[in-house]
Amino acid sequence: AQSVTQLGSHVSVSEGALVLLRCNYSSSVPPYLFWYVQYPNQGLQLLLKYTTGATLVKGINGFEAEFKKSETSFHLTKPSAHMSDAAEYFCAVSEFGGTASKLTFGTGTRLQVTL
Amino acid sequence: NAGVTQTPKFRVLKTGQSMTLLCAQDMNHEYMYWYRQDPGMGLRLIHYSVGEGTTAKGEVPDGYNVSRLKKQNFLLGLESAAPSQTSVYFCASSYRFGPSYEQYFGPGTRLTVT
């Protein structure tokens, strides 16, 4: 069974500082990995995804993530935080095969950006 | 293009009451999903559908029923609401089979059961 662990339920950074949100996964087959962002009182929006190929994936709003198979990690980074990045971020892994693209989500990390 | 819409946005129920949440998508997606989101638990899949007239159980299906009579709509029903069903419910849809296909989410329905 697949699972996702997000270290740190709350992360606080200063505006302009590096953002690092951690995600580790467990999967018995090659994973497809996703980061979603949820702004207050809204649904989830896809930031980026890794399927195959290049392990460094670039997403929207300046975010990127690197798939490291040896570390079973898919950490999300952004070089310089902006106030508008304050939101909750979810890492998810997709089950390969089966009858639908079912996602397993982590418990989320709330990012706070301070002046 | 409205994407995925959910009705209603908020609802308060008393224990034992019933209700139906409506999800609609205008992207001609084959697959649709219902999730619930609870603090500290991320999103958990309740039921999903791979096409019109078909539904399947997800991770936490107990206490819920679903129907997919039309391709664009996916209904989630609570026959006898319980306080444990207080949650935020999200509907999602995706184009087709395959784990790499993006799921598009609706804005959510906040349900409180007293």
Side-chain angles (χ1 to χ4, degrees):
Chain A
Q2 57 193 22
S3 65
V4 174
T5 301
Q6 291 184 240
L7 292 176
S9 58
H10 289 84
V11 170
S12 181
V13 300
S14 300
E15 190 174 36
L18 171 72
V19 175
L20 171 60
L21 304 183
R22 299 178 185 275
C23 172
N24 288 89
Y25 70 91
S26 170
S27 177
S28 58
V29 297
Y32 287 12
L33 295 158
F34 305 79
W35 274 100
Y36 281 85
V37 60
Q38 183 181 29
Y39 298 104
N41 300 314
Q42 295 187 26
L44 278 70
Q45 179 184 2
L46 183 68
L47 267 180
L48 50 81
K49 65 181 180 183
Y50 167 79
T51 54
T52 58
T55 57
L56 182 62
V57 180
K58 294 187 185 299
I60 61 172
N61 301 337
F63 284 93
E64 62 182 35
E66 186 171 10
F67 170 59
K68 292 187 176 180
K69 184 178 178 181
S70 61
E71 299 177 9
T72 62
S73 69
F74 191 57
H75 301 331
L76 182 70
T77 60
K78 183 175 180 178
S80 177
H82 191 271
M83 295 296 289
S84 61
D85 295 326
E88 190 153 21
Y89 293 80
F90 292 93
C91 182
V93 60
S94 184
E95 180 180 291
F96 185 79
T99 57
S101 52
K102 290 183 283 185
L103 291 172
T104 297
F105 286 87
T107 53
T109 298
R110 187 168 298 277
L111 176 66
Q112 181 182 19
V113 183
T114 59
L115 289 171
Chain B
N1 218 1
V4 180
T5 57
Q6 293 182 232
T7 308
K9 289 186 168 51
F10 302 94
R11 185 73 187 267
V12 178
L13 287 180
K14 294 187 188 304
T15 297
Q17 288 185 319
S18 64
M19 77 163 294
T20 300
L21 282 66
L22 171 63
C23 175
Q25 52 94 3
D26 61 2
M27 296 174 283
N28 202 34
H29 284 169
E30 289 290 336
Y31 295 86
M32 297 187 75
Y33 314 81
W34 275 107
Y35 294 90
R36 59 177 289 172
Q37 182 182 29
D38 302 293
M41 301 189 74
L43 277 77
R44 293 179 292 168
L45 183 65
I46 305 172
H47 286 280
Y48 64 97
S49 168
V50 301
E52 184 178 322
T54 70
T55 62
K57 294 180 180 180
E59 182 185 354
V60 288
D62 294 342
Y64 305 95
N65 56 76
V66 288
S67 64
R68 182 101 180 269
L69 299 179
K70 293 183 179 181
K71 184 177 182 179
Q72 64 268 33
N73 294 339
F74 194 28
L75 279 63
L76 177 71
L78 286 72
E79 289 187 348
S80 179
S84 61
Q85 294 179 304
T86 293
S87 187
V88 181
Y89 292 87
F90 288 99
C91 176
S93 68
S94 63
Y95 176 50
R96 57 176 293 180
F97 165 70
S100 67
Y101 286 99
E102 177 184 352
Q103 291 188 19
Y104 292 81
F105 284 80
T109 295
R110 186 173 296 275
L111 175 66
T112 302
V113 183
T114 61

